[in-house]
Amino acid sequence: MKKFISLGLALSLSACGDVPSSPSIGNSVHLTQSSINDFSNSLKVNYELISNVADENCDAKRSDGNCFLVELSFTAEQDFKANDWAIYYSQINPVQSDASSEFDISHVNGDLHKISPTESFKGFTAGQTYTLPFRVDFWSLSETDALPNYIFKAEGFEAQVIASTKTVINEETGLETYPFVADFSSVDKQFKRTPSDKTQWATSEYLFDRNSKTNAALNHLNSSLIPTPQSINVVDTEQKINLAQGINIELNDINESALIPALERLANFGVKQNANGIKLVITKTQTVDPNPGSYQLLIATDAITINALDDAGAFYALQSIAGLISIDEQALPLLEINDAPHYQFRGLLVDVARNFHSKQFILDLMEQMAAYKLNKLHLHLGDDEAWRLQIKDLPELTDISSKRCFDLQEDTCLLPQLGAGVDANSEVNGYYSIADYKEILQFASARHIQVIPSLDMPGHSRSSIVAMKARYKRLMAAGDEAGAKQFLLHDENDKTVYSSVQYYNDNTINACMESSYDFIAKVMDEVKAMHADAGQPLTRYHIGADETAGAWVKSPICEEFLANNKQGITKADQLGSYFIERVAKILSDRDIETAGWNDGMMHTNVDNMPKVVQANSWGVLSWQGHKEAHELANRNWDIVVSTPDVTYFDFPYEADPKEHGYYWAIRHSNTEKLFQFMPDNLPVHAEFWLDREDKPFTIDDSLKISKDGEIESGPLATGKKFAGVQGQLWSENTRNDNLAEYKIFPRLFSLAERAWHKADWSVDYKYHGDIYSQKSNNFTQDMQAVRDQQWANFANILANKEFAKLEQADIFYRIPTVGAKVIDGELHINNTFNGLPLEYRAEQGEWQSWSKPVKVSGNIEVRARSLDLKRAGRSLFLKG
């Protein structure tokens, strides 16, 4: 059994092609590009998870003794006797061991791995299946862990993607599927993380029981909107004002251009500007709530009045009118709304670095963000896997590092991480030109959205490091040594051996080189110029600063720096905070505020940091993730709650192996769970949420004092508040725009609700500290009853008003999997969002509409459809 350490994604391969018989030449075969292409198009590859159950073959010293067993199989359709080849693939978790005498696996970098034939392998014989069993750290809980596009490379020939490892888009659902991955079937061996895992598979029967507990909606659609306003008073439900006749707008001290997108949205819903329409008077005033974005909306029989604190408040008031109406119903009751945002920071992160997402996707997303009053777009533009923003005078950043293809020397593109394949022009590749980025900024400004760019550093920086290496080579070849070294980010003589969280050994900018800071200053100057040209000044920049993995220890440049610096830095583990503090100074000198992730920011010296600092808190609650949020808030920093338990949109909606997403922090995180979130009070969630194995947990928020009298951890200082909340769409395995929208919507509605509106059932935070668990009772049964009823009302608005608006905007929202049971021979179906069309079929027959219990027998399949019937949701099976 060969032992090795690697990383990577659950291995999967698919068909490679048959090869015409060729005469042998020594140990090789006479190959042609055509024969290699044929083989790559016909080799059948199957990836099967055998078991997550740890046994004596797992390495007890790794991953807490946990491992999972995979069997990868290859079936050739024709003989292929060459042995001078390799298969490159992406794999998430480190491999512990393999049990094959015919194949070896080696780690290249990041998630990229290489399968090579051993001397024992005598070539592929037609009709024969070859297996490669191997064990991997931790667990595999999703069929989509297996990244696609395995690459077959024969020495001296062009690399080809093995055709059977490509994904396929399902024609009915529009979702990406993985035909080379075997279905999960065993609860104990495949579905559970550990034997004690309490998570329930989200089968149709399970969902039926869960949905059956949901209250009936009690709200009126035309007097309800998302996000919920501070107060809404319906004056008269019988008498209505019909906006179908249009609106005649009068502005008082309000900038008309600040309202255009909201007016256009109203027009899309049938409410157009008309000189003979209903009078709509919009006035800027100080008589409303003093928080930016506040407004008052009065709907009377003959006129509508908006009193707004500022242009943003007027914009949000118009969006509230759009939220009250339906696409097919523009009549509204007489009412009064007084409204103001709970948080000033209401954000969404979109990772376009790992896999690219188009400019149109970003524009469409911001249109929806603005509609539901979100106002911060954290645009993650640079990471290990790619750099996505054109920077003047640094062409390698986009000429090379915006693409992943098969080039092991990385002269033309980055390594094909994350199953990128060989095509540099595929949709996972790309970048925003300077003109594109300015367009994004201008589009955002028109919708009162601030764009906060992020180009991660000093870790997660491999794309920029590779690009600057290429620049160095180019300029050295031209005889410009000074220019070549100007923006270099790595020490060529650094012998440090490290592995990042994503298993890279070369992804960290050298913190001891002046050229590193010259590069950052150059990039900041160019990004700031783009913002200025677009009319949205760059006032905050997110440096990342997280997950820096033991770099620099054996860098000669750092050894010299540590020996001679005057900042009192003597150890390599101090360099991370030194880097962050120095970058913060670079930003401050340019009037740009610093933002970063809490783990990287924790170790900085407050005295060396600017007065205004944003820290995104991404601690998992069941791992006591509230502690760093509280500690940094007590530094008087702006804390943006980014709790993975509910705000990571790359996690699965439901605990189902076919549901797309990662699950390192939590197994399932749907729209209702995010609706339940109380961002002001992180510890209280231990009373009603479960950990990643659906087990109860305890949060200790009491004051802890060390032996030296120092505060180790404790509650928020009295009166401290968080600055806001942010949703995160990380894109490691989100490979297209539709899947990105699927993961964001409908969760975005709950994000907007919690960012804008403080629920009346929320629990006030205890500043004196406490211990929270299912045994404490701060969140009472009465509060839960109110919350659950409000969720039923909220879901009713989505299903019967907002989903139609998404469809009109061509947003690829997730259609839920549905609950179903056969009771006394009759099929019963229910749904999280009542109002969506439901369907069933028996024994793979024709789909039929379902509206009431019906007699069935045999194997039954159930699903929901979009309101316009153009798209189906993912189906589930049950036995009749």
Side-chain angles (χ1 to χ4, degrees), residues 49 63 450 523 584 754:
L49 171 67
S63 58
Q450 177 187 12
V523 170
R754 294 285 70 88

Side-chain angles (χ1 to χ4, degrees), residues 9 181 186 207 227 333 366 591 604 619 656 663 673 799 801 813 832:
L9 259 162
V181 181
S186 170
L207 293 173
M366 286 195 292
D591 296 320
T604 58
D656 183 335
Y663 43 78
K673 186 175 182 180
K801 194 159 63 169
Y813 66 94
T832 303

Side-chain angles (χ1 to χ4, degrees), residues 701-721:
D701 192 37
S702 59
L703 184 64
K704 296 289 189 297
I705 305 293
S706 70
K707 294 179 181 179
D708 299 328
E710 298 291 330
I711 295 177
E712 291 182 340
S713 65
L716 286 168
T718 301
K720 292 293 182 188
K721 302 288 186 182

Side-chain angles (χ1 to χ4, degrees), residues 630-704:
H630 290 178
E631 180 178 340
L632 294 179
N634 289 341
R635 292 186 184 183
N636 294 319
W637 287 3
D638 293 344
I639 303 304
V640 176
V641 177
S642 306
T643 305
D645 308 57
V646 286
T647 70
Y648 272 40
F649 293 174
D650 54 311
F651 288 177
Y653 281 91
E654 302 291 355
D656 183 335
K658 291 191 181 297
E659 189 66 44
H660 211 284
Y662 281 178
Y663 43 78
W664 57 265
I666 208 74
R667 191 72 180 275
H668 49 98
S669 180
N670 60 22
T671 309
E672 181 180 4
K673 186 175 182 180
L674 181 50
F675 180 86
Q676 297 173 351
F677 194 31
M678 300 180 225
D680 292 327
N681 191 341
L682 297 179
V684 76
H685 297 92
E687 295 191 353
F688 53 90
W689 282 354
L690 302 172
D691 69 9
R692 67 179 183 178
E693 292 191 352
D694 274 7
K695 299 174 185 176
F697 61 93
T698 297
I699 290 181
D700 187 347
D701 192 37
S702 59
L703 184 64
K704 296 289 189 297

Side-chain angles (χ1 to χ4, degrees), residues 284-358:
K284 184 178 291 187
T285 177
Q286 300 296 313
T287 61
V288 296
D289 190 293
N291 287 306
S294 302
Y295 68 91
Q296 179 188 55
L297 172 63
L298 301 168
I299 299 179
T301 55
D302 56 351
I304 297 175
T305 302
I306 292 173
N307 297 311
L309 182 72
D310 49 24
D311 288 347
F315 179 86
Y316 293 143
L318 291 173
Q319 294 288 19
S320 290
I321 296 174
L324 289 167
I325 64 175
S326 302
I327 283 181
D328 56 358
E329 177 58 67
Q330 290 82 35
L332 295 178
L334 310 186
L335 54 77
E336 177 181 343
I337 290 175
N338 289 279
D339 204 6
H342 179 51
Y343 291 124
Q344 286 300 314
F345 192 110
R346 307 180 298 279
L348 180 64
L349 174 148
V350 178
D351 170 14
V352 299
R354 270 57 176 270
N355 284 300
F356 187 61
H357 298 299
S358 68

Side-chain angles (χ1 to χ4, degrees), residues 313-431:
F315 179 86
Y316 293 143
L318 291 173
Q319 294 288 19
S320 290
I321 296 174
L324 289 167
I325 64 175
S326 302
I327 283 181
D328 56 358
E329 177 58 67
Q330 290 82 35
L332 295 178
L334 310 186
L335 54 77
E336 177 181 343
I337 290 175
N338 289 279
D339 204 6
H342 179 51
Y343 291 124
Q344 286 300 314
F345 192 110
R346 307 180 298 279
L348 180 64
L349 174 148
V350 178
D351 170 14
V352 299
R354 270 57 176 270
N355 284 300
F356 187 61
H357 298 299
S358 68
K359 178 181 69 175
Q360 189 60 52
F361 164 81
I362 297 295
L363 301 182
D364 291 344
L365 176 61
M366 286 195 292
E367 194 72 75
Q368 299 305 317
M369 289 174 63
Y372 301 99
K373 306 182 176 74
L374 295 173
N375 67 343
K376 309 288 183 183
L377 176 63
H378 179 168
L379 199 53
H380 189 69
L381 293 160
D383 212 293
D384 293 322
E385 293 79 12
W387 181 284
R388 305 298 189 186
L389 181 61
Q390 181 183 14
I391 299 296
K392 181 183 175 183
D393 302 325
L394 300 178
E396 285 84 0
L397 286 170
T398 45
D399 289 349
I400 294 173
S401 290
S402 71
K403 300 174 289 187
R404 300 195 298 273
C405 65
F406 192 81
D407 176 1
L408 297 181
Q409 288 70 45
E410 298 185 294
D411 293 326
T412 59
C413 63
L414 298 179
L415 296 174
Q417 311 283 352
L418 301 175
V422 301
D423 184 5
N425 297 313
S426 71
E427 64 181 334
V428 304
N429 295 317
Y431 66 92

Side-chain angles (χ1 to χ4, degrees), residues 504-525:
Y504 291 99
N505 56 27
D506 56 355
N507 79 332
T508 306
I509 292 173
N510 193 293
C512 308
M513 297 169 59
E514 286 303 307
S515 55
S516 296
Y517 302 101
D518 291 341
F519 170 81
I520 293 165
K522 166 66 174 176
V523 170
M524 287 301 96
D525 286 341

